[in-house]
Amino acid sequence: MLIKLAFRNIFRHFNRTFLTFLAIALGLMLLIIMDSMLSGIDQESFNKIINYETGHIKIFDKNYREDEENLPLDKSIEKPDSIIKALGKDPEVAGVTSRINFRIMLSNGVDQYPAVGIAVNPKDDQSVFLLKQALEKGRFFSKNDEETMLLGEGLAEDFGVDVGDYLTVLTRTKHDTYQALDLRIKGILKTEDPKIDWAAVVIPLGLGQASLDMGSAVTEIDIKLKNPNKTKEFRDRLAKDLTGFEVATWQDLASDVIAMSQAKRGGSVFLLFSVFLIALIGISNTILLAAFERTREIGMMAAMGMKRSQIIRLFVLEGAMIGVMGSIVGCLLAVLLNFPFVKYGLNWGFLMRDMGDIGYRVTGVSRGVWNINMIVGAFIFGIVVSAITSIYPARVASKMDPTEALKKI
Amino acid sequence: MRYKFVFWILILFSISYLGFSASGITGDEIINEVDKNMTFTSARMESKMLIHVGKQVRTKKMISYAQGKDKSFAKFTSPARDKGVKYLKIGDNMWMYLPSVDKIIKIAGHMLRQSMMGSDFSYEDALESNKLLEKYKVTLIGQDEKSYILELTAKVKKVTYYKRKIWVDKRTFIPTREELFAKSGKKLKVMTMGEVKRFGRRYYPTYMTIENLLRRDSKTELFTTKAQFDIRIPAGIFSQANLKK
């Protein structure tokens, strides 16, 4: 009976109800879409970091990370082979490789740009990283000591070079002596990870070791796990076995990106919550207006014996119903809109290039994700909060004295 | 046929060897002579530095003092932006004073690689050029009418340039050209020195350029506009306290 009454009541002022409902629907839709995009960017960033930069676990010399900014070559792993061999036999390890990271200046004889050199092992780099798959043009290294390089697409564009052209890599050896290598570009990398595309020069490990005076040393050992959710457990186990080294998970290494994404997300959720709050004030206002408008009616209902609690329930029900409709439509709109975001994504390229390196590893298209928890959560949130916000106006309505109320006829 | 070829090579080799020993001077001796010319008991100089970056030219002026091989002090007097920037070098240590922040900064570690006041000189270039004999094996690889040509190859691991090639004027023992090479053998920088003038009993080049070959139009010129040698230098010039004065 109450439900029927409430349902009819909310349509007595269609325009007002519609506006309130629209505010809730749009608020919810924005919340869900924003969450989808942000989660998409996060997921994409984390995947890029794992697939091109860190793997799941990294091993360094124990003093490496205090000087990490400078990519020091003298804090290296002198004999990586035995560790790599042992890790290869570990049942939890899916792949293991080693790399040297070093600072370079890339030059074409006219201009000079700072960049990062990465010496990768052509034999096993693919077991951890996806560089080979990210080749847009050209080919991957076939020999460990060939004098060629793979160049990030952004750098290639800046220099106006292509596969087959030469650039000079200027760097310092382990002993700080200048080293300059004229290398032919064998491939162009397009990873959509700005740390690679805009800043990386990849050379074979053998060439790196020889030209940087590294002997058989590397600066890091990179590990891919079979179960990517067990990074912390694996790190702790490995750290116990290896002394003189530092073991870090990709989460440890990308802590700045993770912290930033959380801060950003906190910020946007707060913003959206404010939007939503305005929508809720709308509900409260609609119900309150209805209560005052229907003073006579309330008086009449009370006079006919309707209890205070029943009056409260009636108005709360009205609020909840607007909430239900808003939530249903909001979620439906969000789902409809999220389809193209998930399927085709949104191209941030124009934005990211101008902003420069802000930590996110996304340079081009980023896709949305389906976050069922978020959709269901938003749906329930919409209804519950609408109902709660109508409690106050409902109480105001219920407090009306029937005789006073009836006087207003 | 092959033996004949080897024979001729040997003959040529010994002739050229005789040629060098005939002049009776070794690479090390030449470098020592150069050192004698280029270091002084004491000196005060006024110089002008022209830094070319692309088509832009920036001019900076400075006054510098030096004592022996180990101590030097420089103070920039113009442009306004750099006025009051001071450098002090004692042995292997180098400090910089920035008036804008009123701070003395020790130049060490990775800072040594940076360019000095935006020029093509780096701090380590300034520090290392004093110790050529300690760090390099010197070979006299040839000579022409005017100069000896020396090749310096690193004999220790920790050097900035693996190889240097220096042309030294036979008459004045002033280096006229120096080429700096990376370990791979690629030429990175070229320095030239000229406008050699006589100051009392010594010769000193008053014009110097350094060119970065990996960047087009990147060149620094240094003109010495006034030089006084073997003078009395006021006490306290080579001290950190003087940096802040």
Side-chain angles (χ1 to χ4, degrees):
Chain A
M1 175 63 189
L2 268 184
I3 294 176
K4 204 169 164 189
L5 202 60
F7 190 71
R8 284 191 179 159
N9 277 340
I10 57 172
F11 286 107
R12 276 163 63 182
H13 287 280
F14 181 78
N15 284 350
R16 198 158 64 205
T17 309
F18 181 74
L19 282 177
T20 317
F21 139 91
L22 204 66
I24 298 174
L26 288 179
L28 278 185
M29 184 192 80
L30 269 176
L31 191 68
I32 295 170
I33 290 293
M34 197 78 161
D35 173 76
S36 157
M37 291 314 301
L38 282 177
S39 304
I41 291 180
D42 278 355
Q43 203 50 55
E44 198 101 349
S45 289
F46 298 157
N47 284 344
K48 297 276 163 58
I49 289 173
I50 295 169
N51 290 334
Y52 300 116
E53 298 172 34
T54 63
H56 288 131
I57 302 274
K58 256 190 198 196
I59 306 174
F60 304 99
D61 173 74
K62 67 175 187 305
N63 297 319
Y64 185 85
R65 286 192 69 204
E66 63 198 39
D67 194 21
E68 200 173 16
E69 285 273 288
N70 295 317
L71 303 179
L73 292 174
D74 51 350
K75 290 162 184 142
S76 57
I77 304 171
E78 294 300 319
K79 293 195 175 76
D81 287 351
S82 54
I83 304 175
I84 293 174
K85 218 172 174 184
L87 283 167
K89 287 180 192 149
D90 193 302
E92 283 185 60
V93 171
V96 55
T97 185
S98 54
R99 287 178 159 191
I100 300 174
N101 289 304
F102 53 105
R103 291 234 168 268
I104 62 168
M105 284 298 251
L106 198 60
S107 160
N108 58 359
V110 178
D111 295 306
Q112 212 170 288
Y113 291 118
V116 172
I118 309 172
V120 306
N121 190 336
K123 258 187 275 164
D124 52 22
D125 199 71
Q126 301 85 286
S127 70
V128 180
F129 297 105
L130 297 180
L131 278 184
K132 196 174 179 178
Q133 286 87 324
L135 272 175
E136 191 191 34
K137 278 184 201 166
R139 280 181 300 127
F140 201 69
F141 308 120
S142 44
K143 279 188 284 176
N144 199 17
D145 55 355
E146 60 182 290
E147 299 205 346
T148 58
M149 65 164 132
L150 308 177
L151 191 65
E153 167 227 30
L155 279 174
E157 200 184 301
D158 284 346
F159 277 108
V161 289
D162 210 334
V163 173
D165 292 340
Y166 280 81
L167 285 179
T168 305
V169 171
L170 179 68
T171 183
R172 300 292 188 107
T173 68
K174 188 179 183 174
H175 304 295
D176 240 9
T177 305
Y178 269 115
Q179 180 61 291
L181 304 168
D182 292 325
L183 300 180
R184 187 170 60 83
I185 301 168
K186 195 172 185 185
I188 308 277
L189 293 165
K190 187 173 181 176
T191 60
E192 306 275 356
D193 176 350
K195 288 264 189 246
I196 304 290
D197 290 0
W198 302 346
V201 169
V202 180
I203 65 168
L205 187 66
L207 175 69
Q209 284 172 327
S211 49
L212 300 170
D213 278 344
M214 292 291 280
S216 60
V218 296
T219 56
E220 64 184 43
I221 294 174
D222 313 271
I223 304 163
K224 187 178 181 179
L225 295 180
K226 283 181 186 149
N227 182 353
N229 299 322
K230 288 221 166 151
T231 51
K232 288 190 180 71
E233 293 87 336
F234 191 84
R235 173 196 63 193
D236 295 341
R237 176 163 74 83
L238 203 59
K240 262 185 226 160
D241 297 345
L242 289 169
T243 44
F245 299 97
E246 181 171 351
V247 184
T249 64
W250 72 265
Q251 290 99 328
D252 299 334
L253 298 166
S255 56
D256 53 335
V257 181
I258 295 175
M260 194 184 63
S261 109
Q262 275 164 354
K264 281 245 163 79
R265 175 169 291 231
S268 18
V269 167
F270 177 75
L271 208 74
L272 286 172
F273 189 77
S274 312
V275 171
F276 204 61
L277 205 68
I278 295 167
L280 291 174
I281 292 171
I283 298 192
S284 187
N285 199 34
T286 307
I287 307 284
L288 198 63
L289 262 178
F292 283 122
E293 246 171 27
R294 281 158 32 198
T295 311
R296 288 182 310 174
E297 210 180 295
I298 294 167
M300 188 191 70
M301 286 193 294
M304 283 167 74
M306 201 163 179
K307 281 187 206 140
R308 218 188 127 194
S309 65
Q310 280 174 314
I311 295 175
I312 293 183
R313 238 185 291 160
L314 177 70
F315 280 92
V316 170
L317 258 175
E318 283 176 29
M321 271 176 189
I322 299 177
V324 170
M325 289 190 301
S327 296
I328 291 176
V329 174
C331 288
L332 273 179
L333 278 178
V335 168
L336 278 178
L337 212 65
N338 204 24
F339 259 115
F341 280 150
V342 173
K343 189 151 188 219
Y344 306 108
L346 202 64
N347 194 341
W348 301 96
F350 66 98
L351 205 70
M352 291 290 184
R353 185 90 217 214
D354 289 340
M355 278 201 287
D357 186 1
I358 52 162
Y360 279 141
R361 305 303 203 271
V362 180
T363 56
V365 173
S366 132
R367 295 192 165 79
V369 292
W370 288 115
N371 186 349
I372 301 299
N373 290 343
M374 186 67 202
I375 297 173
V376 174
F379 181 75
I380 297 172
F381 180 76
I383 298 170
V384 170
V385 176
S386 312
I388 293 174
T389 35
S390 17
I391 291 178
Y392 167 71
R395 283 172 67 96
V396 171
S398 71
K399 273 183 190 158
M400 288 175 188
D401 181 7
T403 47
E404 285 295 312
L406 277 170
K407 267 189 197 161
K408 294 206 170 169
I409 294 174
Chain B
M1 180 65 198
R2 200 173 185 190
Y3 285 108
K4 233 179 186 174
F5 180 68
V6 173
F7 174 75
W8 277 112
I9 294 251
L10 277 175
I11 290 279
L12 274 173
F13 193 78
S14 35
I15 288 173
S16 58
Y17 182 73
L18 282 173
F20 295 151
S21 52
S23 62
I25 193 157
T26 66
D28 281 25
E29 283 165 357
I30 296 171
I31 290 286
N32 275 326
E33 283 298 314
V34 170
D35 264 1
K36 256 190 239 165
N37 249 329
M38 302 295 280
T39 47
F40 4 80
T41 348
S42 61
R44 181 186 180 278
M45 285 182 203
E46 286 176 28
S47 357
K48 190 169 76 178
M49 193 154 82
L50 262 62
I51 303 168
H52 301 255
V53 181
K55 288 195 174 84
Q56 276 186 340
V57 185
R58 274 173 277 161
T59 310
K60 301 188 178 193
K61 285 183 182 166
M62 61 177 169
I63 298 172
S64 55
Y65 295 88
Q67 192 167 43
K69 235 180 177 183
D70 282 343
K71 290 179 181 173
S72 56
F73 175 85
K75 185 170 99 182
F76 282 80
T77 53
S78 87
R81 201 166 63 115
D82 296 322
K83 197 174 174 180
V85 173
K86 294 170 193 167
Y87 286 94
L88 171 68
K89 190 187 105 182
I90 299 177
D92 280 345
N93 298 308
M94 205 167 184
W95 296 270
M96 170 173 62
Y97 171 73
L98 293 176
S100 52
V101 289
D102 190 25
K103 252 196 177 153
I104 295 176
I105 300 162
K106 182 164 185 333
I107 300 168
H110 283 270
M111 268 189 87
L112 286 169
R113 299 179 175 186
Q114 289 171 8
S115 98
M116 197 170 172
M117 299 297 276
S119 69
D120 292 287
F121 291 100
S122 70
Y123 298 114
E124 58 191 358
D125 285 346
L127 286 174
E128 210 176 75
S129 55
N130 276 347
K131 307 195 162 160
L132 296 181
L133 283 180
E134 274 172 46
K135 297 195 165 184
Y136 294 92
K137 187 170 109 26
V138 184
T139 326
L140 180 61
I141 55 165
Q143 53 182 315
D144 54 28
E145 264 174 48
K146 279 186 177 167
S147 28
Y148 297 113
I149 305 165
L150 304 175
E151 189 177 84
L152 284 71
T153 323
K155 60 181 181 191
V156 295
K157 278 179 175 168
K158 224 168 165 49
V159 285
T160 308
Y161 302 97
Y162 184 74
K163 202 175 90 178
R164 292 162 180 259
K165 218 165 154 184
I166 305 178
W167 280 255
V168 178
D169 188 275
K170 279 181 174 171
R171 195 171 59 88
T172 58
F173 283 98
I174 292 284
T176 52
R177 179 183 174 88
E178 179 167 3
E179 296 176 347
L180 304 169
F181 295 84
K183 203 170 177 197
S184 58
K186 193 175 173 72
K187 207 189 292 175
L188 300 177
K189 287 181 183 173
V190 175
M191 284 197 247
T192 54
M193 275 161 265
E195 304 280 327
V196 178
K197 287 185 186 154
R198 204 178 168 134
F199 296 88
R201 279 170 54 202
R202 76 167 68 239
Y203 291 99
Y204 194 78
T206 57
Y207 172 69
M208 189 176 163
T209 63
I210 183 161
E211 200 178 340
N212 180 349
L213 300 179
L214 294 190
R215 243 162 68 185
R216 191 171 62 188
D217 301 330
S218 179
K219 187 168 115 179
T220 301
E221 293 176 286
L222 188 74
F223 297 89
T224 307
T225 46
K226 203 172 162 191
Q228 296 163 281
F229 294 97
D230 306 317
I231 52 158
R232 246 182 68 110
I233 290 177
I237 284 273
F238 305 108
S239 69
Q240 284 197 45
N242 189 36
L243 281 174
K244 275 206 170 189
K245 257 182 203 166

